[in-house]
Amino acid sequence: MANEESVPRVDEVTGTETSGHEWDGIEELDTPMPRWWLYTLYATIVWGVIYVVLYPAWPLVTQATEGVLGWSSRSELAEQLAQADKGRSQLREQLAYIPIERLPDNSALMQQAVAGGAAAFKVNCVQCHGSGAAGSKGYPNLNDDDWLWGGDLKAIEYTLVHGIRQQGDDETRMSIMPPFAGVFEPAQLNALVDHVLSLSGKAQPNAAGAQIYADNCAVCHGAIGQGSRELGAPQLNDAIWLYGSSRAEVTAQILAPQLGMMPKWAGRLDPVTIKMLAAYVHSLGGGEDFVEVAENPAKMVDEQP
């Protein structure tokens, strides 16, 4: 049992006075705290008092005590946000001034535009093109170098501004493939599919299908399936297929073509944000150098076959 009435004594081994408490013959030493620990404690108490006086500390009903310095984390945050807004305003002014085809000449500005475009892409574009811009069936992959109307900065910007097959916009990207349902006999259709697949090495050449292709398809898709950017006709002699490359999928596309649509972003996004989006898409890996050859800018785009 503890003996609370014991008279403190000095321990012979340690030379330290006991506290007077004893439990089953075990006595408690009354060892004083180290001086450094006490000094640290006193310093923290003093600092706490000073902090309460200088800075906001005690919460009240609608606010906290302000402190004699009048500092607040909200005012500091507001100042930091104002500085960030000023920096963004300067960046946006530079982007608004520079023609997009000259953007690569300023590497620092280009990097900032790409970063801003990446953020805008996550908000506005991932729903269709995916978080990695790899697309899916019916939605173009923006990472490769296969472009329906062209893949330079100016072409991509034009597509973003006017969209693809957008009603009410006379300058929208527009290409139409007519349906061939009821036009060919089954044997003719099979021969044509054989030839189309042979252009990318997926089937053996078919002479009859080649003639049908030359009579009906080559005017848009080219004699060897190279496509036409002027007409927005997809390339058929590569391994990239927007709606699938199986025999059934190619047949379905010939009989009843699927025609994709992309919204125009003019009016939804400001011109600078659109320019940043174009820079980001261009940076994904398939972007082309700008070549000033087209008389009509409507002949270039970021959609793929």
Side-chain angles (χ1 to χ4, degrees):
M1 298 294 293
N3 185 2
E4 300 293 342
E5 303 298 332
S6 299
V7 178
R9 70 179 186 80
V10 176
D11 180 62
E12 295 179 359
V13 177
T14 62
T16 303
E17 189 178 83
T18 65
S19 65
H21 300 161
E22 179 184 340
W23 291 268
D24 296 330
I26 300 175
E27 294 182 286
E28 179 183 26
L29 298 179
D30 190 12
T31 304
M33 301 297 296
R35 289 182 179 272
W36 66 265
W37 192 93
L38 289 172
Y39 293 153
T40 302
L41 174 62
Y42 299 150
T44 57
I45 294 173
V46 172
W47 165 247
V49 173
I50 295 175
Y51 185 94
V52 168
V53 174
L54 297 180
Y55 295 96
W58 296 102
L60 304 175
V61 177
T62 58
Q63 61 182 21
T65 55
E66 295 183 357
V68 297
L69 295 181
W71 177 90
S72 73
S73 57
R74 290 186 178 183
S75 61
E76 186 174 88
L77 175 62
E79 181 179 350
Q80 293 174 351
L81 291 175
Q83 292 176 351
D85 287 340
K86 182 178 180 181
R88 283 193 293 268
S89 296
Q90 293 174 346
L91 169 63
R92 294 180 70 85
E93 288 177 3
Q94 291 178 316
L95 286 172
Y97 176 77
I98 188 172
I100 194 168
E101 62 270 21
R102 300 278 75 88
L103 192 54
D105 299 340
N106 188 327
S107 59
L109 190 59
M110 181 67 173
Q111 291 178 358
Q112 291 177 307
V114 169
F121 187 90
K122 292 177 182 178
V123 176
N124 301 283
C125 310
V126 298
Q127 296 87 345
C128 294
H129 294 285
S131 59
S136 60
K137 186 176 180 179
Y139 299 97
N141 181 353
L142 303 179
N143 296 287
D144 58 31
D145 57 0
D146 206 55
W147 301 88
L148 191 56
W149 280 288
D152 62 74
L153 282 166
K154 194 170 184 179
I156 297 171
E157 181 188 41
Y158 186 94
T159 300
L160 290 169
V161 171
H162 297 288
I164 299 171
R165 302 182 183 93
Q166 282 292 288
Q167 294 183 354
D169 190 324
D170 295 336
E171 298 181 82
T172 189
R173 304 293 195 188
M174 182 64 70
S175 63
I176 298 295
M177 176 175 170
F180 286 91
V183 175
F184 304 123
E185 298 293 334
Q188 293 177 310
L189 179 60
N190 287 331
L192 176 59
V193 172
D194 281 339
H195 178 72
V196 171
L197 290 174
S198 73
L199 294 174
S200 57
K202 293 183 176 296
Q204 295 299 318
N206 185 302
Q211 185 59 52
I212 297 172
Y213 176 89
D215 294 340
N216 297 274
C217 313
V219 65
C220 293
H221 293 286
I224 58 174
Q226 74 272 23
S228 171
R229 289 185 174 182
E230 183 177 357
L231 300 175
Q235 186 175 348
L236 302 178
N237 58 5
D238 59 15
I240 300 174
W241 299 77
L242 186 58
Y243 295 103
S245 60
S246 69
R247 171 173 288 273
E249 289 168 327
V250 173
T251 301
Q253 190 67 6
I254 292 174
L255 295 177
Q258 299 181 68
L259 302 174
M261 188 179 77
M262 173 180 162
K264 68 173 186 177
W265 291 100
R268 302 187 184 196
L269 299 177
D270 61 86
V272 172
T273 300
I274 291 176
K275 187 176 290 187
M276 291 192 293
L277 264 175
Y280 173 70
V281 172
H282 186 271
S283 74
L284 290 174
E288 302 173 341
D289 293 333
F290 176 75
V291 180
E292 193 130 17
V293 295
E295 295 180 1
N296 183 354
K299 306 301 184 184
M300 302 179 283
V301 77
D302 79 307
E303 184 187 342
Q304 305 155 357

